[in-house]
Amino acid sequence: MKLKNNLFLGSILSLFTVFGVQGKVVLPSILSDNMVLQQQSEVKLWGTAAAGSTVTVTPGWGGSYTAKAGEGGEWEVKPPTPKAGGPYSIEFSDGETTTLNNVLIGEVWLCSGQSNMVMTLSGFTNPVQPVNKAEEILQSATSATPIRVFTLRRIRSKTEMNDCTGSWGEHTDRTLRKTSAVAYFFAKDLYERLGIPVGIIVSAWGGTPIEAWISPKTLSDFKEIDLSHLTNDKNINAQRACVLYNGMIAPLRKLCIKGAIWYQGENNRFNPSLYERLMPALVKDWRNVWQQGEFPFYYVQIAPYDYEPDKQQDRSGAALREAQLHSMSKIPNSGMAVTLDIGEKTNIHPAEKEKVGQRLAAWALSKTYGIEGISCSGPVYKTFEVSGDKISLNFETSSKLRIIDMEPGIFEIAGADKVFYPAKAEVSEKGKDVIVFADEVKNPVAVRYGYKNYVKGCLFDSEGLPASSFRTDNW
């Protein structure tokens, strides 16, 4: 039934485009009242009109731009935008005028992933899974706050779509209840620190793998991924490769954005080595599609969760976190928000979404906007050194290390026999190293930290940012 609905939606969008070619200017859904356009950029404004007609675009901040509609009715102009501000109106005319109102100029970010990005400020039901501090946000929401939200309707497609379904919403209780909590807290921090409008575009679908969000062109290099469903007549679901890129990313490719945030990975935990190749490929893919250079890409390392409580040796979640950790060094202009301290053992959707959004925003504020004094990365493991019956772990960190409320077994140490034992750990006097040891291991060769599906992170820097789980071995 869902497939029929999506096919029906695609038919309506196609008819809508056809009718637009025959008369009045028609704009894609992403260009609508209440939208945010990227400041100080050459943005694209596009749509359809009668073939051969001249379309004049007049932005409220000044200037006038014309384009001739092609044989298929498509037209496009590229007006420069001023510094952040507004609201403005934009007029589009081919003899008959269409006007967009209440348009702001500011910072625009794409927010994508699976269910932890989908999770709204209203939380999830069945079972009830709330978001901390959400009610406080919702009760104080006012449209005067210049944060705007566009949430795409979920749609999968075998071919690239040119339009999507959704509308821009103002900062009201009604809009925010349906808004991604992570994306909102990210936008809230940006607005509060930058003092300018922020627009977030949420394109996310729960329970989906990374390959669903990558283009066919890029995935054609991955021979282990089947793309036959794109050309046959079989039904597709949201887990299939490319279908969400086609339906929920491709329609946005003309919109100028500042960068992207990403929260996904749970559905790829059984093949972390492939994920480690796919994640840099996704980022390169999107950057190629947008043609805006290496725009910033900040992502969330999946939170600890007890995926297989009956399988004590299961480390699939830890292995996926490791793949995400390694990806940070492979993706230029990227950063990872670690969540090792805020996972929930029996809830894959942790309630502490505010810290996730804040940690993503810290990366953007520090690295993208150049605000000094903001710490964005927790300690990152670098090297280790064996000294007698102890192993010293060295970290890349701008501040001193701290161990807080260490639970038994979060640090593990092993000898050449590859048998790991719960270990003791203490921070060195200089605060840059962690010394690990255990009575059972006299000649240690390897250490692991938090390398389990569920743990409660205990290693932080003095700014309160956690270290990722890691291991020194490759066993």
Side-chain angles (χ1 to χ4, degrees):
M1 188 63 183
K2 289 184 178 179
L3 177 62
K4 290 181 179 178
N5 288 341
N6 287 334
L7 291 174
F8 176 74
L9 176 61
S11 299
I12 292 298
L13 291 173
S14 298
L15 289 172
F16 193 59
T17 301
V18 170
F19 290 142
V21 171
Q22 296 173 346
K24 186 177 179 180
V25 169
V26 175
L27 301 174
S29 296
I30 195 67
L31 302 182
S32 63
D33 292 347
N34 307 317
M35 73 178 299
V36 180
L37 289 173
Q38 181 61 39
Q39 68 167 330
Q40 296 180 291
S41 300
E42 185 182 74
V43 302
K44 293 179 181 178
L45 300 174
W46 71 98
T48 58
S53 65
T54 297
V55 177
T56 301
V57 180
T58 309
W61 56 86
S64 182
Y65 308 85
T66 60
K68 186 175 182 179
E71 292 182 2
E74 299 86 359
W75 58 267
E76 178 182 299
V77 296
K78 298 179 181 179
T81 52
K83 290 183 179 179
Y88 297 101
S89 62
I90 308 175
E91 291 186 353
F92 302 82
S93 177
D94 62 348
E96 187 175 355
T97 300
T98 297
T99 304
L100 297 185
N101 296 304
N102 201 25
V103 175
L104 298 179
I105 307 295
E107 295 296 287
V108 181
W109 286 81
L110 172 63
C111 312
S112 188
Q114 60 180 112
S115 58
N116 271 301
M117 181 63 82
V118 172
M119 191 176 194
T120 66
L121 284 166
S122 294
F124 287 146
T125 57
N126 195 27
V128 175
Q129 297 174 330
V131 170
N132 293 348
K133 297 187 179 180
E135 281 305 313
E136 176 185 332
I137 296 293
L138 295 170
Q139 289 174 12
S140 62
T142 168
S143 60
T145 300
I147 295 175
R148 305 284 176 79
V149 183
F150 187 100
T151 301
L152 276 78
R153 178 176 172 179
R154 301 189 309 176
I155 186 168
R156 54 199 184 275
S157 176
K158 293 189 176 188
T159 58
E160 288 190 8
M161 298 186 68
N162 292 320
D163 202 356
C164 57
T165 302
S167 60
W168 284 91
E170 294 184 283
H171 188 273
T172 64
D173 175 279
R174 182 178 180 180
T175 295
L176 297 188
R177 285 188 181 278
K178 300 177 182 179
T179 295
S180 160
V182 166
Y184 174 74
F185 284 120
F186 170 79
K188 179 175 179 288
D189 254 34
L190 292 191
Y191 164 65
E192 290 177 350
R193 293 303 296 264
L194 301 175
I196 59 177
V198 177
I200 48 175
I201 302 163
V202 182
S203 180
W205 191 323
T208 57
I210 191 171
E211 56 266 32
W213 298 96
I214 303 175
S215 74
K217 180 179 179 180
T218 292
L219 284 187
S220 64
D221 293 333
F222 290 80
K223 303 306 179 185
E224 60 269 70
I225 296 179
D226 180 18
L227 300 181
S228 62
H229 58 281
L230 298 175
T231 53
N232 62 33
D233 59 358
K234 294 182 180 179
N235 291 347
I236 54 172
N237 58 44
Q239 287 72 42
R240 301 307 298 270
C242 309
V243 299
L244 301 186
Y245 168 84
N246 287 337
M248 299 178 68
I249 296 298
L252 306 172
R253 62 190 180 274
K254 289 188 177 184
L255 189 74
C256 185
I257 61 174
K258 185 67 172 185
I261 59 173
W262 174 256
Y263 194 165
Q264 187 277 335
E266 293 90 347
N267 268 61
N268 290 93
R269 66 188 178 88
F270 290 115
N271 198 340
S273 60
L274 177 59
Y275 192 88
E276 195 168 323
R277 295 165 53 212
L278 287 172
M279 192 167 179
L282 174 136
V283 179
K284 185 177 181 180
D285 185 39
W286 288 10
R287 288 171 174 169
N288 286 339
V289 167
W290 260 270
Q291 291 293 299
Q292 291 182 210
E294 293 183 340
F295 61 70
F297 185 90
Y298 303 126
Y299 62 96
V300 184
Q301 186 183 52
I302 62 171
Y305 169 69
D306 196 2
Y307 290 96
E308 303 285 350
D310 297 329
K311 299 178 181 179
Q312 297 301 314
Q313 299 307 310
D314 179 43
R315 299 287 189 274
S316 58
L320 196 285
R321 295 197 303 267
E322 181 179 57
Q324 292 177 315
L325 175 63
H326 293 168
S327 293
M328 190 163 53
S329 63
K330 298 178 181 179
I331 302 172
N333 198 17
S334 69
M336 183 177 74
V338 177
T339 59
L340 202 71
D341 59 324
I342 55 177
E344 297 179 23
K345 188 172 185 178
T346 59
N347 184 3
I348 200 171
H349 305 117
E352 190 50 86
K353 291 293 188 283
E354 182 181 35
K355 285 186 178 179
V356 179
Q358 289 174 339
R359 289 171 183 177
L360 288 167
W363 277 102
L365 292 167
S366 175
K367 301 301 183 183
T368 301
Y369 298 105
I371 298 179
E372 296 182 359
I374 294 180
S375 181
C376 57
S377 175
V380 179
Y381 165 73
K382 288 174 59 179
T383 60
F384 75 97
E385 181 179 348
V386 178
S387 179
D389 61 353
K390 298 179 181 180
I391 289 183
S392 177
L393 304 169
N394 181 255
F395 294 83
E396 182 178 337
T397 179
S398 59
S399 60
K400 290 188 176 183
L401 300 171
R402 296 188 299 168
I403 293 177
I404 303 174
D405 298 329
M406 184 172 68
E407 296 181 352
I410 191 168
F411 281 95
E412 300 173 284
I413 195 167
D417 60 0
K418 301 183 181 180
V419 177
F420 282 91
Y421 293 88
K424 298 177 182 178
E426 55 189 33
V427 176
S428 66
E429 290 185 8
K430 293 183 178 180
K432 299 293 185 180
D433 304 279
V434 174
I435 313 302
V436 184
F437 53 95
D439 294 339
E440 295 89 345
V441 182
K442 301 303 181 185
N443 298 293
V445 299
V447 166
R448 292 179 175 181
Y449 166 71
Y451 202 76
K452 300 175 182 178
N453 283 347
Y454 178 77
V455 293
K456 185 73 172 178
C458 67
L459 180 60
F460 299 82
D461 63 15
S462 58
E463 302 295 326
L465 292 175
S468 165
S469 51
F470 64 88
R471 56 177 176 159
T472 66
D473 66 277
N474 61 359
W475 300 336

